[in-house]
Amino acid sequence: TRNERWLVTYKESIEAKYLRRLAIITELKQSLTAERNELSMVYQPKINLQTMQVVSVEALIRWDNHTLGKVPPDEFIQIAERAGLIDQVTHWVVTQTLQHLRYFRDMGFAFTVAINLSSQDIQNPVVFERLNRQLSELGLSASDIELEITESDLLADGPHAFQTLLNLKAQGFTLAIDDFGTGYSSLSYLKKLPVDNLKIDKSFVLKLSTDTDDQRLVHTILSLAAMFELNVVAEGVEDEAALHILQEWGCQVAQGYFISKPLPLQELLVWLRDTAYT
Ligand code: C2E
Ligand code: CA
Ligand code: CA
Ligand code: CA
């Protein structure tokens, strides 16, 4: 019957999803521990919209697995979180990124490096003990690092997250709220939050040059941020028109394909050499 056929299709799709998750978990464990060179970092520049200089690069992980192919971070990070693997992923990201940051400094670059943390990372003191130890081993400091934490993760962790942010700020890290605008934070929450930067989610920026709703939203976020003395980073700037709107409205920092895609280390160095943004 139709019902039975629907049930079979449904079961198959659940199974396919389950199998994919299982494969991701198994393969990721291998990639994290064995020397397969399947994980790598790419870096996406952020520019100051007044000076037009690179002020920071965001570190983003990439995974090219020998059987699964390229797995997007949006997919495997979430699975790693639920499988208790995120701690290892973050450790890998931090180790790799700090080595590259050491290299940037040796080359004479002064920009900061932004690292994405997931909700479990911010609840885990070991992550920050390790980060601080690795920083000092490399002659780097917390002021070289920006930590990006999503709005929804902060909201989920409530008062505890607030204390963590205070501690991190006291240690000298720059803090950014990622995906801002998607987590429904209240105004009073924003007032109390000890962060430096708001990153407007790219969903509000991608169509900025044509969508009047997005324009109103971004404009509102910018005046709100100014009121609370927060810097705003707009991600997802894909065209010159959006860049000019943001510049005109006093947005401090922009990031997006119009400026540069995320690049592997060597390509970033070439880009930095050839670009007008340095
Ligand atoms: P995110 O932190 O919000 O990162 C921004 C995403 O937008 C990145 O996708 C970036 O490549 C993409 N993007 C940047 N500019 C543009 C643009 O102009 N247009 C469009 N359409 N997209 C743009 P990516 O690298 O695939 O990462 C997706 C998400 O995966 C990240 O979102 C972050 O939540 C997570 N992620 C990536 N790397 C890491 C990591 O090392 N650790 C953790 N915990 N999460 C990570
Ligand atoms: Ca981010
Ligand atoms: Ca985002
Ligand atoms: Ca995200």
Side-chain angles (χ1 to χ4, degrees):
T1 69
R2 253 181 80 199
N3 253 339
E4 278 163 355
R5 246 180 294 136
W6 178 84
L7 199 64
V8 168
T9 319
Y10 178 73
K11 268 178 74 181
E12 277 168 0
S13 81
I14 298 259
E15 263 168 32
K17 244 180 144 172
Y18 174 77
L19 289 175
R20 166 113 181 139
R21 288 178 65 89
L22 206 63
I24 287 179
I25 292 168
T26 314
E27 289 298 323
L28 187 59
K29 276 185 189 162
Q30 288 290 316
S31 301
L32 282 163
T33 49
E35 297 237 341
R36 280 185 175 173
N37 294 320
E38 291 185 344
L39 294 164
S40 64
M41 296 307 297
V42 290
Y43 299 93
Q44 188 179 33
K46 306 183 209 178
I47 59 163
N48 177 309
L49 284 172
Q50 265 177 351
T51 64
M52 300 303 273
Q53 306 274 294
V54 177
V55 287
S56 179
V57 297
E58 179 177 4
L60 296 156
I61 195 169
R62 293 292 177 263
W63 184 30
D64 192 354
N65 180 253
H66 67 115
T67 55
L68 298 166
K70 289 182 176 150
V71 186
D74 268 337
E75 184 182 15
F76 76 81
I77 291 285
Q78 202 191 47
I79 292 172
E81 279 169 352
R82 294 196 212 155
L85 286 172
I86 196 66
D87 179 56
Q88 273 173 273
V89 174
T90 300
H91 184 46
W92 192 90
V93 166
V94 167
T95 304
Q96 192 70 12
T97 301
L98 293 193
Q99 270 167 26
H100 290 164
L101 173 58
R102 183 63 264 168
Y103 187 63
F104 295 142
R105 287 290 176 275
D106 293 341
M107 301 270 299
F109 294 110
F111 50 74
T112 61
V113 173
I115 295 174
N116 289 284
L117 294 181
S118 69
S119 61
Q120 284 165 49
D121 294 326
I122 56 172
Q123 298 172 52
N124 183 0
V126 174
V127 169
F128 303 110
E129 284 160 24
R130 227 163 33 195
L131 174 58
N132 277 312
R133 181 162 27 91
Q134 288 179 288
L135 279 170
S136 73
E137 277 168 8
L138 288 162
L140 299 163
S141 71
S143 61
D144 293 312
I145 303 291
E146 183 174 357
L147 299 173
E148 297 193 3
I149 302 162
T150 67
E151 186 183 26
S152 50
D153 286 346
L154 286 177
L155 292 173
D157 204 24
H160 187 259
F162 182 78
Q163 191 54 49
T164 306
L165 295 182
L166 276 179
N167 291 341
L168 291 172
K169 256 197 89 69
Q171 289 167 41
F173 292 101
T174 300
L175 304 180
I177 304 187
D178 209 348
D179 297 352
F180 186 76
T182 62
Y184 313 104
S185 45
S186 70
L187 289 180
S188 60
Y189 184 78
L190 195 59
K191 184 181 126 201
K192 284 185 296 186
L193 218 54
V195 298
D196 309 278
N197 302 328
L198 295 185
K199 278 193 96 169
I200 307 182
D201 192 65
K202 60 175 179 286
S203 58
F204 308 118
V205 180
L206 290 173
K207 297 180 266 72
L208 188 62
S209 50
T210 51
D211 188 315
T212 50
D213 288 332
D214 287 344
Q215 287 170 6
R216 273 192 284 267
L217 238 149
V218 168
H219 196 268
T220 304
I221 293 176
L222 283 166
S223 37
L224 208 69
M227 216 147 58
F228 295 118
E229 295 176 328
L230 295 165
N231 283 319
V232 177
V233 182
E235 68 173 22
V237 177
E238 289 192 353
D239 51 66
E240 194 167 17
L243 187 118
H244 283 149
I245 291 171
L246 291 161
Q247 207 166 28
E248 200 175 305
W249 290 350
C251 178
Q252 285 83 8
V253 177
Q255 178 183 21
Y257 295 168
F258 179 70
I259 299 152
S260 171
K261 291 199 166 173
L263 301 169
L265 180 73
Q266 290 305 326
E267 286 175 44
L268 178 73
L269 293 173
V270 172
W271 183 87
L272 287 165
R273 189 193 65 200
D274 296 341
T275 189
Y277 299 124
T278 49

